[in-house]
Amino acid sequence: MRFGVLRFPGTCDEVDAQLACERVGEAVILWHGDRDLQGVDAVVVPGGFSYGDYLRVGAIARFAPIMESVIAFAREGGPVLGICNGFQVLCEAGLLPGALLPNKTLRFVCRQVDLVVERADTVFTNACAEGERLSIPAKHTTGCWYAPPALHEQVEANGQVLLRYAPGESFNGSLADVAGVRNEAGNVFGLMPHPEHAVDPLTGSTDGLKLFQSIANSVAAHV
Amino acid sequence: MSDTAVAPHRALGLTDAEYELIVEKLGREPNAVELSMFSLMWSEHCAYKHSKKLLGQLPIEGPYLLMGPGENAGAVDVGDGLAIAFKVESHNHPSAVEPFQGAATGVGGILRDVFAVGARPIAVLDSLRFGELDSARSRYLLEHAVGGIGHYGNSIGVPTIGGELYFEGPYEQNCLVNAMALGIARHDRLTRSAATGPGNVLVLFGALTGRDGIGGASVLASAELGDGDADKRPTVQIGDPFAEKKLMECSLELLDRELLVSLQDLGAAGLTSSSSEMASKGGLGLDIHVDRVPLREPGMEPFEIMVSESQERMLCVVEPARVDEVLAVCAKWETTATAIGEVTDSGRLRVLSGGEVVGDMPVEALVDDCPLYDLKPEKPSAPIYPAPRRILDGDDPRDALLALLGSWNVADRRPVFEQYDCLVQSRTVRRPDDADAAVLLLPAPTDAGERPAIAVSIDGSGRRVACDPYRGTVEAVLECAANLACVGAEPLGLTNCLNFGNPEKPHIAWQLFESVRGMADACRALDVPVVGGNVSLYNEGPEGPIYPTPVVGMVGRLPDAARAGRLGFAVAGDAIAFAGPFQPSLPGSELAKLRGEPLPDGLSELDVAAVRRAQEVVREAVRRGELRSAHDVVEGGLAVALAECCLGGGHGATVDFRGAGADGERLLETLFGEGAGGFVLSGPRPALAALAREIRLTFVGEVGGDALSLTLDGGATLSWPLAELRSARERGLADAIG
């Protein structure tokens, strides 16, 4: 099982994501200017501030050469996980529904939050139990998930919301406390909290590891 | 020239005597390029002309020292072939004029210092001082300085893991923004800045050079603040963390590939300072072609290019055969890089434009010949600072604890530190609020499966130093070491930032003199060397000087992160003990401030050796895993420390204060008095009892319940439900800054 972790200029959490992936498989860093995904089984678009995020968050990274290959990989059903800035990039790329708006406080917040697993029968949550609470840190300025009412209704009806902030835990004002959504096909998933920062008991919690383990499980099941 | 009222050298901050000396060293009058370069290199900020003689007292040798003062950052050995480089620096005057960019570029500057020595930055801490928060100016400065620090640190992927924050009237006009950074490197990767090898090429890389920050070191950093500071905004630099992120990755890759002879960042005084320092350290000369420097705007004069403080730039020396490889790595990171000069054996710094020499100075004259001044210290005969405003009436200890917990200096710092990413890079074992010091994992576990870690803390109480510059500074060093002890770390090295007023005034000179003497004595008593630091003088406004504020950052090591200490009470039924040679005293305390009492002339005497002994015993007990919590006693004394232990762990406590009197001043002194050397510990009773054989230790109570209850003489009790304590502590800052 081999993960590819993207690195744009301004990406900050790629090494953390690589270390998390390496707890359940192998992982390589993929450079934004390349097009070769090096035959990886899953792609992680990590957190940070790609290209400085001086325009709308994720809006430039979406046009990076490597993203052409990631979009093709996703269309073929390859698993793609977007974390924080990666979630924003995947929304900009049209791979995930909705958009991320500035937090309701307009401030950056770094906080350990509790998430509730909505579904456990997916590529990204099969190592969790439905209804399970995960303690994972979130840290961002632009993490308020939004979708127009019709789209939101459709996302909920399709069961695309995999993680929600537990009651009272959301600091960003996300619609319906959505913390993470997948695409309709089920192979692309994005979330604002950082599971890669919850993989070692010494640094807080190991709950985030379950998401990486889930991806490894589903890749193994398909091989 | 020197006798005209508007002589150019005076406008640039040089005295007539200094100007005459420059003429003597050059053998002629300097031209405009040379004069502007001398004015920066001979400014207080670059030449330390009022502090250098004093700083010689500080100990700079120690068993773990790898790189001492003089390089971009100092470094200590943390074992396994690894080094931690670190330094603290001020960005006070820029932050007082434009807080967001001032603070942001302060973080950018200290990060460059760390990666200039070849270390990957792994942490930032900040030390902030503002006026009281009921002032709109202080709220504005706080909000924007914190925003700037977060903007820069978060965007570049370096965690901000700790800091300190105080509000006092004397910082109203002149806030303090000190930033500390730590980096990690293998010993053999530590890089020096000396230019070597005549014929080698000087490459400038990073951001374009513009007109921002011109004269920052001389105009902003080396003069008092006053009316018309808004006019100084053009001297504040603008930060671009994305440019710095690329610059950092680029610099580290260049060093990984061993392509550089030496590396230096461009900070205060820009190209002038960086090039002359590199030449001076190598004992060589440099030719710089300013017409090759990539500019952000056309038509810049040679002197502007030489003194620009545009951010996110580095200067390196490269062997001619390696230049193409260097440029290729810079291109990969989308970082502009240009060969702008050569190393020469002339011993002169020459500035060329269009092939013509526009400046030509001996490097030694620029770097070493600035006159150093003796201070004329004189203890002031009358108090310098007004008494704080009274905001607490009466002597009811119940009200006093709630008032202290809600006061801006003691209240929960969460509304500030939550604006910083404290997690990126996956090293953070103790986050802000978990413990008295931040704890970061080192990369490699030992064969025994232990996870070595470092701990870091930054401390300094200006008001205590204003009461007693010598003892207040000793206390700051001891507090920093105590914070490390509480997580189980042994101190390895210290960096300092000396924030003072105008040293040409005798009473400020006295504060500085006494403070440095205190720091030197405390460092010697703890066997901790100073690895480098920064001096920020002229921190005064029309209403007077700031409190003298030496800020101390200390780095320590602990053998196993799994046993890093915490501050909160953890297990109901655990015994609580007070440990250490603590002598509480109210004058100069937070409670005295709230009661509007004038600053005392002097603090109580300290037994530094006994404090060190207590710290060692606490540290060893934490390392053995015998304590469930350890917290040092500082602002607000024992009662505040107990409340913080309760709130930190979510457990109440019952504590015996019989013998302290049921009411009156003596009880207040016992509960809220301050001083060095006190710890609140909790754990199984037998483990604590063993410590009592080594240091002064008194069992005082037990963890449990949902209130903090104190038993007083005559059967009286004082009790606060945890919810009441929590609400007071959480609301203090949150209410003020929203």
Side-chain angles (χ1 to χ4, degrees), chain B residues 37-377:
Chain B
M37 291 171 66
F38 268 105
S39 76
L40 288 169
M41 292 307 293
W42 286 24
S43 69
E44 183 63 43
H45 194 74
C46 294
Y48 293 83
K49 54 193 176 187
H50 286 96
S51 58
K52 208 170 203 167
K53 290 189 173 182
L54 273 185
L55 298 176
Q57 300 175 54
L58 298 172
I60 54 169
E61 299 289 337
Y64 301 101
L65 188 90
L66 293 173
M67 208 153 80
E71 291 297 334
N72 285 303
V76 293
D77 177 16
V78 292
D80 201 30
L82 293 169
I84 294 292
F86 62 102
K87 190 181 181 184
V88 60
E89 230 173 45
S90 64
H91 232 212
N92 302 333
H93 287 176
S95 302
V97 174
E98 210 300 288
F100 187 94
Q101 293 297 343
T105 54
V107 172
I110 196 67
L111 288 171
R112 281 195 300 284
D113 277 327
V114 164
F115 65 76
V117 300
R120 171 170 286 277
I122 59 169
V124 169
L125 297 93
D126 54 8
S127 171
L128 309 176
R129 304 287 184 282
F130 303 97
E132 300 289 354
L133 266 184
D134 50 5
S135 126
R137 173 176 164 81
S138 296
R139 289 196 300 274
Y140 161 77
L141 290 175
L142 170 68
E143 180 182 347
H144 291 268
V146 169
I149 291 166
H151 168 67
Y152 214 102
N154 298 342
S155 306
I156 201 170
V158 178
T160 301
I161 54 165
E164 49 155 16
L165 172 63
Y166 293 101
F167 304 94
E168 305 282 356
Y171 303 112
E172 171 78 21
Q173 290 306 316
N174 196 132
C175 63
L176 300 185
V177 173
N178 291 184
M180 175 176 173
L182 287 75
I184 192 165
R186 299 206 62 80
H187 290 182
D188 56 10
R189 256 286 296 276
L190 288 175
T191 305
R192 296 188 184 260
S193 56
T196 55
N200 281 343
V201 179
L202 200 57
V203 174
L204 175 69
F205 63 109
L208 303 180
T209 297
R211 283 198 169 97
D212 48 342
I214 287 185
S218 55
V219 179
L220 258 189
S222 302
E224 294 178 23
L225 292 170
D227 293 338
D229 283 335
D231 300 341
K232 294 177 183 165
R233 268 198 200 122
T235 56
V236 178
Q237 316 89 331
I238 306 297
D240 177 353
F242 177 53
E244 177 121 326
K245 170 79 172 156
K246 292 188 295 182
L247 187 69
M248 174 173 85
E249 299 297 344
C250 179
S251 299
L252 293 171
E253 183 168 339
L254 288 169
L255 291 168
D256 273 342
R257 295 188 180 203
E258 300 183 348
L259 294 175
L260 306 184
V261 173
S262 59
L263 181 62
Q264 165 85 31
D265 73 303
L266 276 71
L271 207 44
T272 294
S273 162
S274 56
S275 61
S276 50
E277 294 282 346
M278 289 179 100
S280 166
K281 284 176 189 152
L284 291 167
L286 289 174
D287 281 359
I288 295 178
H289 303 269
V290 287
D291 50 345
R292 296 182 193 165
V293 173
L295 301 179
R296 195 188 304 146
E297 48 201 309
M300 285 179 66
E301 297 290 329
F303 92 88
E304 291 179 306
I305 297 170
M306 285 306 297
V307 307
S308 161
E309 293 189 355
S310 288
Q311 296 289 291
E312 292 97 20
R313 297 180 298 161
M314 303 289 285
L315 194 59
C316 61
V317 172
V318 184
E319 289 169 13
R322 297 290 184 86
V323 170
D324 287 346
E325 277 177 273
V326 167
L327 298 183
V329 170
C330 292
K332 173 188 164 188
W333 287 104
E334 297 172 10
T335 292
T336 306
T338 317
I340 62 158
E342 305 85 40
V343 179
T344 68
D345 55 10
S346 66
R348 301 184 75 84
L349 185 62
R350 296 202 310 163
V351 182
L352 297 98
S353 181
E356 197 178 316
V357 177
V358 297
D360 184 357
M361 298 142 282
V363 169
E364 200 183 347
L366 271 170
V367 177
D368 299 322
D369 289 345
C370 175
L372 300 182
Y373 297 110
D374 285 310
L375 298 179
K376 297 188 181 62

Side-chain angles (χ1 to χ4, degrees), chain B residues 499-535:
Chain B
N499 305 275
F500 287 77
N502 179 348
E504 298 163 50
K505 297 176 183 172
H507 56 282
I508 303 294
W510 172 77
Q511 291 176 336
L512 184 57
F513 184 87
E514 287 295 296
S515 176
V516 173
R517 191 169 70 84
M519 186 166 303
D521 285 355
C523 289
R524 285 208 173 81
L526 296 180
D527 286 319
V528 179
V530 175
V531 308
N534 175 231
V535 180

Side-chain angles (χ1 to χ4, degrees), chain A residues 34-199:
Chain A
D34 295 339
R35 286 186 168 77
D36 181 6
L37 295 186
Q38 300 180 27
V40 297
D41 303 298
V43 169
V44 177
V45 192
F49 295 77
S50 52
Y51 302 92
D53 272 347
Y54 290 151
L55 196 57
R56 201 174 57 245
V57 291
I60 296 181
R62 169 246 181 288
F63 292 105
I66 192 83
M67 282 304 294
E68 292 172 20
S69 311
V70 172
I71 290 168
F73 177 78
R75 300 259 186 256
E76 288 160 18
V80 179
L81 172 68
I83 302 167
C84 194
N85 191 228
F87 184 15
Q88 296 161 346
V89 172
L90 295 177
C91 288
E92 285 289 333
L95 291 176
L96 287 174
L100 282 314
L101 307 179
N103 297 347
K104 63 184 177 190
T105 59
L106 303 181
R107 280 191 183 143
F108 182 96
V109 175
C110 174
R111 190 182 292 172
Q112 193 80 18
V113 293
D114 270 9
L115 308 176
V116 177
V117 178
E118 292 284 297
R119 289 182 63 175
D121 59 341
T122 78
V123 173
F124 303 94
T125 54
N126 59 63
C128 311
E130 193 181 312
E132 183 181 356
R133 282 172 83 114
L134 306 178
S135 173
I136 290 179
K139 50 185 182 95
H140 53 254
T141 313
T142 312
C144 172
W145 184 80
Y146 176 78
L151 176 61
H152 178 222
E153 205 174 302
Q154 191 187 332
V155 164
E156 296 281 2
N158 291 341
Q160 289 174 245
V161 177
L162 305 191
L163 295 171
R164 267 186 234 276
Y165 299 102
E169 293 284 291
S170 167
F171 57 77
N172 55 31
S174 282
L175 197 59
D177 284 339
V178 169
V181 291
R182 69 173 199 189
N183 62 351
E184 227 177 312
N187 65 311
V188 181
F189 175 56
L191 75 169
M192 286 312 296
H194 286 260
E196 80 281 21
H197 289 298
V199 298

